[in-house]
Amino acid sequence: MTVHNGATAPEGGKARRIYLLLRDEIMGGTHAPGQALPGELKLAETHGVSRVTIRRALDALVGDGLVERRAGSGTVVRQPSSTPVQLKADFATLMPQLQRMADETTARLLSFAYVAPPPPVSEALNLQAGERVQRAVRLRLASDKAFSHLTTYVPERIAQSYSEADLASTPLFRLLERRGVHIDHARQTVSAVLATPETAEALETTVGAALISLMRVVYDTDGAGIEYLSALYRPDRFQLELTLNRVGGGDDRHWEPVLTGAAQRAAQ
Amino acid sequence: MTVHNGATAPEGGKARRIYLLLRDEIMGGTHAPGQALPGELKLAETHGVSRVTIRRALDALVGDGLVERRAGSGTVVRQPSSTPVQLKADFATLMPQLQRMADETTARLLSFAYVAPPPPVSEALNLQAGERVQRAVRLRLASDKAFSHLTTYVPERIAQSYSEADLASTPLFRLLERRGVHIDHARQTVSAVLATPETAEALETTVGAALISLMRVVYDTDGAGIEYLSALYRPDRFQLELTLNRVGGGDDRHWEPVLTGAAQRAAQ
DNA sequence: AAAATTTGTATTTTAAAAAATACAGGATGC
DNA sequence: GCATCCTGTATTTTTTAAAATACAAATTTT
């Protein structure tokens, strides 16, 4: 009962589909490390494509370091020693963590300008028609590897209270609070998006790769929007984590997020 | 220097890539409803493809009912007749919410079996070699629309303490606690993945679409793994939210997640 | 040692996707 | 009205992906 498809969506190359499928099966554990995959001929048959196509998919998997091929023997799933997630952030204490990360990672400013806000930004920050925003696009790197692509929007009137240099040395929130802005609360939303040509290039990945998307809006005590942040993360280099404890007894037994004291104290 | 890509991944049709990208941007609000998209020629230029290719991508968007084309005028994003994000879950209080959602949404069991655990499951639950698990794949629907694809793994010895019928009527945790299992804590990880042929079909979306991925492992007081959950969500129908408050004063000023009943469902 | 199976490589053919191009016709603004 | 900017449509050419083969070389099995 698909709602879709008065016109069918372009389906895209078979090699790629099979590559994604096999990758998924390997990462999902359907094919255990050390285990041999079905032979190329067998794969070609079960997927209804030619061996050449299977071959191209496997080539890509080799390129990803997921499998190893041995002539005459077969194709084997590699031990996943290669790709642990580098960075993990606790979702509940995400804000202070991100600030700490600022000390431990490098940032590169990709663009900085005052522009007309995109509609969703304008709406989220409740801007007046014609009001402009400062837009900064940053790339965050850990051990020379990009893992995060950040775009921030701050209303012009607020952004003007500090300089680009201030921003480089001091967290935004410190700057704002010194200027008398009363930060009150923030709303965060996590989603998933595909890498666009721009973000793919910045994050050193391929167009169409899945990225974690985090949207954050910060408000002051009057409920006015102060900052709109759109962050994109490479899932193989960054993940959001949350630990929950089962607390209470009887009918009141429920889950509660763990707020690590360390993270809280480091908060600024 | 990239770890990846000794051989590049097959990129799959350009038309399809652009279709997915534009769809993502429209649903993400980059192009507001009622607003005109850039002209076909402009799009062709910015994406580095021919107009024909852009055209095929747009054809698919029309087929999905996302945009409307008017000869001579332009291509306009349609008013989302029925496409705001349907469900929102507060991340910090996600667990009880999911349980409540179980009452308010429909579930369809796609498969139920006792199988050998995939390596990541075996590792996360710290299973002994040869130990089997109960695997259940469920599809969760709200107003007849699938928004979540769930795969749960429970060690066989634990799973046997309840029946399939029990599971249908009572939350898993209740069942387990009645049976003397002492649930202690859980670890959750959020990431992003691409839809595979199977998940795409189940979630009524296209292969290669971006999905929110949530992995959860539940432990008992001894630190033994009890349940491994892998959940996939359509980002246009489900999102994770978290509200933070800025509390304390002076050097102790920091962020704190809002736990009180901020947990909301849908709204719209 | 021989046979069978598997990956590696190359060539040719076929099919599909993308590009390049041209022009018709609706919509809009001056 | 007229210029301009847009989508609609059609044709041709180029490029790319996939398929169909064939055979060599490495490995395992018998």
Short mmCIF file of all heavy atoms in Angstrom, two decimals, chain D residues 5-25:
data_model
loop_
_atom_site.label_atom_id
_atom_site.label_comp_id
_atom_site.label_asym_id
_atom_site.label_seq_id
_atom_site.Cartn_x
_atom_site.Cartn_y
_atom_site.Cartn_z
P DC D 5 16.81 36.00 -17.59
OP1 DC D 5 17.67 36.74 -16.65
OP2 DC D 5 17.35 35.37 -18.81
"O5'" DC D 5 16.05 34.88 -16.75
"C5'" DC D 5 15.03 35.28 -15.82
"C4'" DC D 5 14.07 34.13 -15.59
"O4'" DC D 5 13.17 34.02 -16.72
"C3'" DC D 5 14.76 32.77 -15.46
"O3'" DC D 5 14.32 32.14 -14.27
"C2'" DC D 5 14.31 32.01 -16.69
"C1'" DC D 5 12.95 32.65 -16.96
N1 DC D 5 12.45 32.48 -18.34
C2 DC D 5 11.09 32.15 -18.51
O2 DC D 5 10.36 32.05 -17.53
N3 DC D 5 10.62 31.97 -19.78
C4 DC D 5 11.46 32.09 -20.83
N4 DC D 5 10.95 31.91 -22.05
C5 DC D 5 12.84 32.43 -20.66
C6 DC D 5 13.29 32.61 -19.41
P DC D 6 15.06 30.85 -13.77
OP1 DC D 6 15.07 30.91 -12.31
OP2 DC D 6 16.29 30.68 -14.55
"O5'" DC D 6 14.05 29.69 -14.22
"C5'" DC D 6 13.03 29.31 -13.32
"C4'" DC D 6 11.86 28.71 -14.09
"O4'" DC D 6 11.70 29.37 -15.36
"C3'" DC D 6 12.04 27.26 -14.51
"O3'" DC D 6 11.74 26.40 -13.42
"C2'" DC D 6 10.97 27.15 -15.57
"C1'" DC D 6 10.92 28.55 -16.19
N1 DC D 6 11.45 28.63 -17.58
C2 DC D 6 10.64 28.24 -18.64
O2 DC D 6 9.49 27.84 -18.38
N3 DC D 6 11.11 28.31 -19.91
C4 DC D 6 12.35 28.74 -20.12
N4 DC D 6 12.78 28.79 -21.39
C5 DC D 6 13.22 29.15 -19.06
C6 DC D 6 12.72 29.07 -17.81
P DT D 7 12.14 24.91 -13.50
OP1 DT D 7 12.06 24.40 -12.13
OP2 DT D 7 13.40 24.81 -14.25
"O5'" DT D 7 11.00 24.22 -14.38
"C5'" DT D 7 9.66 24.19 -13.92
"C4'" DT D 7 8.74 23.79 -15.05
"O4'" DT D 7 9.11 24.50 -16.24
"C3'" DT D 7 8.79 22.30 -15.41
"O3'" DT D 7 7.47 21.81 -15.59
"C2'" DT D 7 9.57 22.27 -16.71
"C1'" DT D 7 9.20 23.61 -17.32
N1 DT D 7 10.21 24.11 -18.28
C2 DT D 7 9.86 24.22 -19.61
O2 DT D 7 8.76 23.93 -20.04
N3 DT D 7 10.86 24.69 -20.42
C4 DT D 7 12.14 25.04 -20.05
O4 DT D 7 12.96 25.45 -20.88
C5 DT D 7 12.43 24.90 -18.64
C7 DT D 7 13.80 25.25 -18.12
C6 DT D 7 11.48 24.45 -17.84
P DG D 8 7.28 20.29 -15.99
OP1 DG D 8 5.96 19.87 -15.50
OP2 DG D 8 8.50 19.55 -15.57
"O5'" DG D 8 7.23 20.32 -17.57
"C5'" DG D 8 5.99 20.61 -18.22
"C4'" DG D 8 6.07 20.21 -19.69
"O4'" DG D 8 7.13 20.97 -20.33
"C3'" DG D 8 6.38 18.73 -19.94
"O3'" DG D 8 5.48 18.21 -20.90
"C2'" DG D 8 7.82 18.75 -20.45
"C1'" DG D 8 7.91 20.11 -21.12
N9 DG D 8 9.26 20.65 -21.15
C8 DG D 8 10.08 20.88 -20.06
N7 DG D 8 11.25 21.38 -20.40
C5 DG D 8 11.19 21.47 -21.79
C6 DG D 8 12.17 21.94 -22.71
O6 DG D 8 13.30 22.35 -22.45
N1 DG D 8 11.72 21.86 -24.02
C2 DG D 8 10.47 21.41 -24.39
N2 DG D 8 10.22 21.41 -25.70
N3 DG D 8 9.55 20.97 -23.55
C4 DG D 8 9.99 21.03 -22.26
P DT D 9 5.43 16.68 -21.18
OP1 DT D 9 4.03 16.36 -21.50
OP2 DT D 9 6.13 15.96 -20.10
"O5'" DT D 9 6.31 16.54 -22.50
"C5'" DT D 9 6.21 17.51 -23.53
"C4'" DT D 9 7.25 17.24 -24.60
"O4'" DT D 9 8.46 18.01 -24.31
"C3'" DT D 9 7.70 15.79 -24.75
"O3'" DT D 9 7.43 15.37 -26.06
"C2'" DT D 9 9.20 15.83 -24.45
"C1'" DT D 9 9.55 17.27 -24.79
N1 DT D 9 10.77 17.79 -24.15
C2 DT D 9 11.74 18.34 -24.94
O2 DT D 9 11.66 18.43 -26.15
N3 DT D 9 12.85 18.79 -24.26
C4 DT D 9 13.06 18.73 -22.89
O4 DT D 9 14.09 19.17 -22.39
C5 DT D 9 12.00 18.14 -22.13
C7 DT D 9 12.13 18.04 -20.63
C6 DT D 9 10.91 17.70 -22.78
P DA D 10 7.54 13.78 -26.40
OP1 DA D 10 6.22 13.36 -26.92
OP2 DA D 10 8.15 13.04 -25.27
"O5'" DA D 10 8.58 13.78 -27.59
"C5'" DA D 10 8.74 14.93 -28.42
"C4'" DA D 10 10.15 14.95 -28.98
"O4'" DA D 10 11.01 15.65 -28.04
"C3'" DA D 10 10.77 13.57 -29.17
"O3'" DA D 10 10.95 13.34 -30.57
"C2'" DA D 10 12.09 13.61 -28.41
"C1'" DA D 10 12.31 15.08 -28.16
N9 DA D 10 13.02 15.37 -26.91
C8 DA D 10 12.65 15.02 -25.64
N7 DA D 10 13.49 15.41 -24.72
C5 DA D 10 14.49 16.05 -25.44
C6 DA D 10 15.68 16.69 -25.04
N6 DA D 10 16.08 16.78 -23.76
N1 DA D 10 16.45 17.23 -26.01
C2 DA D 10 16.05 17.14 -27.27
N3 DA D 10 14.96 16.57 -27.77
C4 DA D 10 14.21 16.04 -26.78
P DT D 11 11.55 11.98 -31.06
OP1 DT D 11 10.92 11.68 -32.38
OP2 DT D 11 11.48 10.96 -29.98
"O5'" DT D 11 13.08 12.35 -31.29
"C5'" DT D 11 13.41 13.61 -31.92
"C4'" DT D 11 14.91 13.74 -32.02
"O4'" DT D 11 15.44 14.26 -30.77
"C3'" DT D 11 15.64 12.42 -32.26
"O3'" DT D 11 16.52 12.56 -33.36
"C2'" DT D 11 16.38 12.15 -30.97
"C1'" DT D 11 16.60 13.54 -30.42
N1 DT D 11 16.71 13.58 -28.94
C2 DT D 11 17.77 14.27 -28.38
O2 DT D 11 18.62 14.84 -29.04
N3 DT D 11 17.80 14.23 -27.01
C4 DT D 11 16.89 13.60 -26.16
O4 DT D 11 17.03 13.65 -24.95
C5 DT D 11 15.83 12.91 -26.82
C7 DT D 11 14.79 12.19 -26.01
C6 DT D 11 15.78 12.93 -28.16
P DT D 12 17.30 11.25 -33.90
OP1 DT D 12 17.29 11.32 -35.37
OP2 DT D 12 16.80 10.04 -33.20
"O5'" DT D 12 18.78 11.55 -33.38
"C5'" DT D 12 19.36 12.83 -33.61
"C4'" DT D 12 20.64 12.95 -32.78
"O4'" DT D 12 20.30 13.04 -31.37
"C3'" DT D 12 21.59 11.77 -32.93
"O3'" DT D 12 22.86 12.24 -33.40
"C2'" DT D 12 21.68 11.17 -31.52
"C1'" DT D 12 21.26 12.33 -30.64
N1 DT D 12 20.63 11.91 -29.35
C2 DT D 12 21.17 12.36 -28.17
O2 DT D 12 22.15 13.07 -28.11
N3 DT D 12 20.50 11.93 -27.05
C4 DT D 12 19.38 11.11 -27.00
O4 DT D 12 18.89 10.80 -25.93
C5 DT D 12 18.87 10.69 -28.27
C7 DT D 12 17.66 9.81 -28.34
C6 DT D 12 19.51 11.10 -29.39
P DT D 13 24.01 11.20 -33.73
OP1 DT D 13 24.77 11.72 -34.90
OP2 DT D 13 23.45 9.83 -33.75
"O5'" DT D 13 24.93 11.35 -32.45
"C5'" DT D 13 25.34 12.65 -32.03
"C4'" DT D 13 26.02 12.55 -30.68
"O4'" DT D 13 25.06 12.19 -29.66
"C3'" DT D 13 27.14 11.51 -30.61
"O3'" DT D 13 28.34 12.16 -30.20
"C2'" DT D 13 26.63 10.49 -29.59
"C1'" DT D 13 25.67 11.31 -28.76
N1 DT D 13 24.59 10.53 -28.07
C2 DT D 13 24.49 10.59 -26.70
O2 DT D 13 25.24 11.23 -26.01
N3 DT D 13 23.45 9.86 -26.18
C4 DT D 13 22.53 9.09 -26.88
O4 DT D 13 21.65 8.49 -26.30
C5 DT D 13 22.70 9.08 -28.31
C7 DT D 13 21.77 8.28 -29.17
C6 DT D 13 23.70 9.79 -28.85
P DT D 14 29.72 11.35 -30.17
OP1 DT D 14 30.79 12.27 -30.60
OP2 DT D 14 29.53 10.04 -30.83
"O5'" DT D 14 29.88 11.10 -28.61
"C5'" DT D 14 29.74 12.21 -27.70
"C4'" DT D 14 29.67 11.69 -26.29
"O4'" DT D 14 28.44 10.98 -26.07
"C3'" DT D 14 30.81 10.72 -25.92
"O3'" DT D 14 31.54 11.30 -24.86
"C2'" DT D 14 30.08 9.43 -25.53
"C1'" DT D 14 28.69 9.92 -25.18
N1 DT D 14 27.59 8.94 -25.33
C2 DT D 14 26.83 8.59 -24.23
O2 DT D 14 27.05 9.03 -23.13
N3 DT D 14 25.83 7.70 -24.48
C4 DT D 14 25.50 7.13 -25.70
O4 DT D 14 24.57 6.34 -25.80
C5 DT D 14 26.31 7.55 -26.81
C7 DT D 14 26.03 7.00 -28.18
C6 DT D 14 27.31 8.42 -26.59
P DT D 15 32.85 10.55 -24.33
OP1 DT D 15 33.81 11.58 -23.91
OP2 DT D 15 33.25 9.49 -25.29
"O5'" DT D 15 32.29 9.85 -23.02
"C5'" DT D 15 31.47 10.62 -22.12
"C4'" DT D 15 30.83 9.69 -21.12
"O4'" DT D 15 29.80 8.90 -21.75
"C3'" DT D 15 31.80 8.70 -20.46
"O3'" DT D 15 31.78 8.93 -19.08
"C2'" DT D 15 31.25 7.33 -20.87
"C1'" DT D 15 29.78 7.63 -21.15
N1 DT D 15 29.09 6.70 -22.08
C2 DT D 15 27.97 6.01 -21.64
O2 DT D 15 27.54 6.12 -20.50
N3 DT D 15 27.40 5.19 -22.58
C4 DT D 15 27.81 5.00 -23.88
O4 DT D 15 27.20 4.24 -24.64
C5 DT D 15 28.98 5.76 -24.28
C7 DT D 15 29.49 5.62 -25.67
C6 DT D 15 29.55 6.56 -23.37
P DT D 16 32.81 8.16 -18.13
OP1 DT D 16 33.19 9.08 -17.04
OP2 DT D 16 33.82 7.49 -18.97
"O5'" DT D 16 31.86 7.03 -17.51
"C5'" DT D 16 30.57 7.42 -17.01
"C4'" DT D 16 29.74 6.19 -16.75
"O4'" DT D 16 29.30 5.62 -17.99
"C3'" DT D 16 30.49 5.08 -16.01
"O3'" DT D 16 29.81 4.86 -14.79
"C2'" DT D 16 30.43 3.88 -16.97
"C1'" DT D 16 29.23 4.22 -17.83
N1 DT D 16 29.22 3.61 -19.20
C2 DT D 16 28.14 2.81 -19.56
O2 DT D 16 27.20 2.58 -18.82
N3 DT D 16 28.22 2.30 -20.84
C4 DT D 16 29.22 2.51 -21.76
O4 DT D 16 29.18 2.01 -22.87
C5 DT D 16 30.30 3.36 -21.30
C7 DT D 16 31.44 3.65 -22.22
C6 DT D 16 30.25 3.87 -20.06
P DA D 17 30.29 3.72 -13.78
OP1 DA D 17 30.07 4.24 -12.42
OP2 DA D 17 31.62 3.24 -14.20
"O5'" DA D 17 29.24 2.55 -14.04
"C5'" DA D 17 27.86 2.86 -13.90
"C4'" DA D 17 27.05 1.63 -14.29
"O4'" DA D 17 27.24 1.35 -15.69
"C3'" DA D 17 27.44 0.37 -13.55
"O3'" DA D 17 26.25 -0.24 -13.06
"C2'" DA D 17 28.16 -0.49 -14.61
"C1'" DA D 17 27.49 -0.02 -15.88
N9 DA D 17 28.31 -0.14 -17.09
C8 DA D 17 29.54 0.39 -17.31
N7 DA D 17 30.03 0.14 -18.50
C5 DA D 17 29.04 -0.60 -19.11
C6 DA D 17 28.94 -1.18 -20.39
N6 DA D 17 29.89 -1.09 -21.33
N1 DA D 17 27.81 -1.86 -20.69
C2 DA D 17 26.85 -1.94 -19.76
N3 DA D 17 26.83 -1.45 -18.52
C4 DA D 17 27.97 -0.78 -18.26
P DA D 18 26.35 -1.56 -12.19
OP1 DA D 18 25.22 -1.51 -11.24
OP2 DA D 18 27.74 -1.71 -11.70
"O5'" DA D 18 26.06 -2.71 -13.24
"C5'" DA D 18 24.85 -2.66 -13.99
"C4'" DA D 18 24.89 -3.74 -15.05
"O4'" DA D 18 25.91 -3.44 -16.01
"C3'" DA D 18 25.19 -5.14 -14.53
"O3'" DA D 18 24.08 -5.96 -14.81
"C2'" DA D 18 26.46 -5.56 -15.28
"C1'" DA D 18 26.42 -4.65 -16.50
N9 DA D 18 27.72 -4.36 -17.11
C8 DA D 18 28.80 -3.79 -16.52
N7 DA D 18 29.83 -3.64 -17.33
C5 DA D 18 29.37 -4.14 -18.54
C6 DA D 18 29.98 -4.27 -19.80
N6 DA D 18 31.23 -3.87 -20.06
N1 DA D 18 29.24 -4.83 -20.79
C2 DA D 18 27.98 -5.22 -20.52
N3 DA D 18 27.30 -5.16 -19.38
C4 DA D 18 28.07 -4.60 -18.42
P DA D 19 24.11 -7.49 -14.36
OP1 DA D 19 22.71 -7.86 -14.10
OP2 DA D 19 25.15 -7.68 -13.33
"O5'" DA D 19 24.57 -8.23 -15.68
"C5'" DA D 19 23.84 -7.99 -16.87
"C4'" DA D 19 24.50 -8.68 -18.03
"O4'" DA D 19 25.76 -8.03 -18.31
"C3'" DA D 19 24.82 -10.15 -17.81
"O3'" DA D 19 24.14 -10.90 -18.79
"C2'" DA D 19 26.34 -10.25 -17.94
"C1'" DA D 19 26.66 -9.01 -18.76
N9 DA D 19 28.00 -8.45 -18.59
C8 DA D 19 28.55 -7.98 -17.43
N7 DA D 19 29.78 -7.52 -17.58
C5 DA D 19 30.04 -7.70 -18.94
C6 DA D 19 31.16 -7.41 -19.74
N6 DA D 19 32.27 -6.86 -19.26
N1 DA D 19 31.08 -7.72 -21.05
C2 DA D 19 29.95 -8.27 -21.53
N3 DA D 19 28.83 -8.59 -20.87
C4 DA D 19 28.95 -8.27 -19.58
P DA D 20 24.07 -12.48 -18.64
OP1 DA D 20 22.71 -12.86 -19.08
OP2 DA D 20 24.58 -12.90 -17.33
"O5'" DA D 20 25.10 -12.97 -19.75
"C5'" DA D 20 25.26 -12.19 -20.94
"C4'" DA D 20 26.42 -12.73 -21.75
"O4'" DA D 20 27.61 -11.96 -21.45
"C3'" DA D 20 26.77 -14.19 -21.46
"O3'" DA D 20 27.04 -14.86 -22.67
"C2'" DA D 20 28.02 -14.08 -20.58
"C1'" DA D 20 28.68 -12.84 -21.18
N9 DA D 20 29.61 -12.16 -20.29
C8 DA D 20 29.50 -11.99 -18.93
N7 DA D 20 30.49 -11.33 -18.39
C5 DA D 20 31.32 -11.05 -19.47
C6 DA D 20 32.54 -10.36 -19.55
N6 DA D 20 33.16 -9.82 -18.50
N1 DA D 20 33.10 -10.24 -20.78
C2 DA D 20 32.48 -10.79 -21.83
N3 DA D 20 31.33 -11.46 -21.86
C4 DA D 20 30.79 -11.55 -20.64
P DT D 21 27.08 -16.47 -22.70
OP1 DT D 21 26.23 -16.91 -23.80
OP2 DT D 21 26.84 -16.99 -21.33
"O5'" DT D 21 28.59 -16.75 -23.05
"C5'" DT D 21 29.57 -16.22 -22.21
"C4'" DT D 21 30.88 -16.07 -22.93
"O4'" DT D 21 31.53 -14.93 -22.37
"C3'" DT D 21 31.77 -17.28 -22.72
"O3'" DT D 21 32.24 -17.78 -23.96
"C2'" DT D 21 32.90 -16.76 -21.84
"C1'" DT D 21 32.83 -15.26 -21.96
N1 DT D 21 33.08 -14.57 -20.65
C2 DT D 21 34.16 -13.72 -20.57
O2 DT D 21 34.90 -13.49 -21.50
N3 DT D 21 34.33 -13.15 -19.33
C4 DT D 21 33.56 -13.34 -18.21
O4 DT D 21 33.82 -12.76 -17.16
C5 DT D 21 32.45 -14.24 -18.37
C7 DT D 21 31.54 -14.52 -17.22
C6 DT D 21 32.27 -14.81 -19.57
P DA D 22 32.85 -19.29 -23.95
OP1 DA D 22 32.64 -19.81 -25.31
OP2 DA D 22 32.35 -20.04 -22.78
"O5'" DA D 22 34.40 -19.02 -23.73
"C5'" DA D 22 35.04 -17.92 -24.39
"C4'" DA D 22 36.39 -17.69 -23.77
"O4'" DA D 22 36.25 -16.83 -22.61
"C3'" DA D 22 37.07 -18.97 -23.28
"O3'" DA D 22 38.31 -19.13 -23.93
"C2'" DA D 22 37.23 -18.77 -21.77
"C1'" DA D 22 37.17 -17.26 -21.64
N9 DA D 22 36.69 -16.80 -20.34
C8 DA D 22 35.55 -17.17 -19.68
N7 DA D 22 35.39 -16.59 -18.52
C5 DA D 22 36.50 -15.79 -18.39
C6 DA D 22 36.93 -14.92 -17.38
N6 DA D 22 36.25 -14.72 -16.25
N1 DA D 22 38.10 -14.26 -17.57
C2 DA D 22 38.79 -14.47 -18.70
N3 DA D 22 38.48 -15.27 -19.73
C4 DA D 22 37.32 -15.90 -19.50
P DC D 23 39.06 -20.55 -23.77
OP1 DC D 23 39.70 -20.81 -25.06
OP2 DC D 23 38.16 -21.54 -23.17
"O5'" DC D 23 40.20 -20.20 -22.72
"C5'" DC D 23 41.03 -19.05 -22.93
"C4'" DC D 23 41.73 -18.68 -21.66
"O4'" DC D 23 40.79 -18.16 -20.69
"C3'" DC D 23 42.46 -19.84 -20.95
"O3'" DC D 23 43.78 -19.43 -20.64
"C2'" DC D 23 41.63 -20.04 -19.69
"C1'" DC D 23 41.22 -18.59 -19.42
N1 DC D 23 40.12 -18.43 -18.44
C2 DC D 23 40.24 -17.46 -17.43
O2 DC D 23 41.24 -16.74 -17.41
N3 DC D 23 39.24 -17.33 -16.50
C4 DC D 23 38.18 -18.12 -16.57
N4 DC D 23 37.23 -17.96 -15.65
C5 DC D 23 38.03 -19.11 -17.59
C6 DC D 23 39.02 -19.23 -18.48
P DA D 24 44.88 -20.51 -20.38
OP1 DA D 24 45.62 -20.67 -21.64
OP2 DA D 24 44.28 -21.67 -19.71
"O5'" DA D 24 45.82 -19.76 -19.33
"C5'" DA D 24 46.00 -18.34 -19.43
"C4'" DA D 24 46.25 -17.76 -18.04
"O4'" DA D 24 44.99 -17.63 -17.34
"C3'" DA D 24 47.15 -18.64 -17.16
"O3'" DA D 24 48.10 -17.82 -16.51
"C2'" DA D 24 46.19 -19.25 -16.15
"C1'" DA D 24 45.11 -18.18 -16.05
N9 DA D 24 43.79 -18.69 -15.67
C8 DA D 24 43.01 -19.57 -16.36
N7 DA D 24 41.87 -19.85 -15.77
C5 DA D 24 41.91 -19.10 -14.62
C6 DA D 24 40.99 -18.95 -13.56
N6 DA D 24 39.81 -19.58 -13.51
N1 DA D 24 41.33 -18.13 -12.55
C2 DA D 24 42.51 -17.49 -12.60
N3 DA D 24 43.44 -17.55 -13.54
C4 DA D 24 43.08 -18.38 -14.53
P DA D 25 49.31 -18.48 -15.75
OP1 DA D 25 50.49 -17.60 -15.95
OP2 DA D 25 49.35 -19.91 -16.08
"O5'" DA D 25 48.84 -18.36 -14.23
"C5'" DA D 25 48.63 -17.07 -13.66
"C4'" DA D 25 48.17 -17.23 -12.22
"O4'" DA D 25 46.82 -17.77 -12.22
"C3'" DA D 25 49.02 -18.21 -11.40
"O3'" DA D 25 49.23 -17.65 -10.12
"C2'" DA D 25 48.15 -19.46 -11.32
"C1'" DA D 25 46.75 -18.85 -11.33
N9 DA D 25 45.70 -19.74 -11.80
C8 DA D 25 45.72 -20.56 -12.90
N7 DA D 25 44.62 -21.24 -13.07
C5 DA D 25 43.82 -20.85 -12.02
C6 DA D 25 42.50 -21.22 -11.63
N6 DA D 25 41.77 -22.09 -12.29
N1 DA D 25 42.00 -20.63 -10.52
C2 DA D 25 42.75 -19.74 -9.85
N3 DA D 25 44.00 -19.32 -10.12
C4 DA D 25 44.47 -19.92 -11.23
#
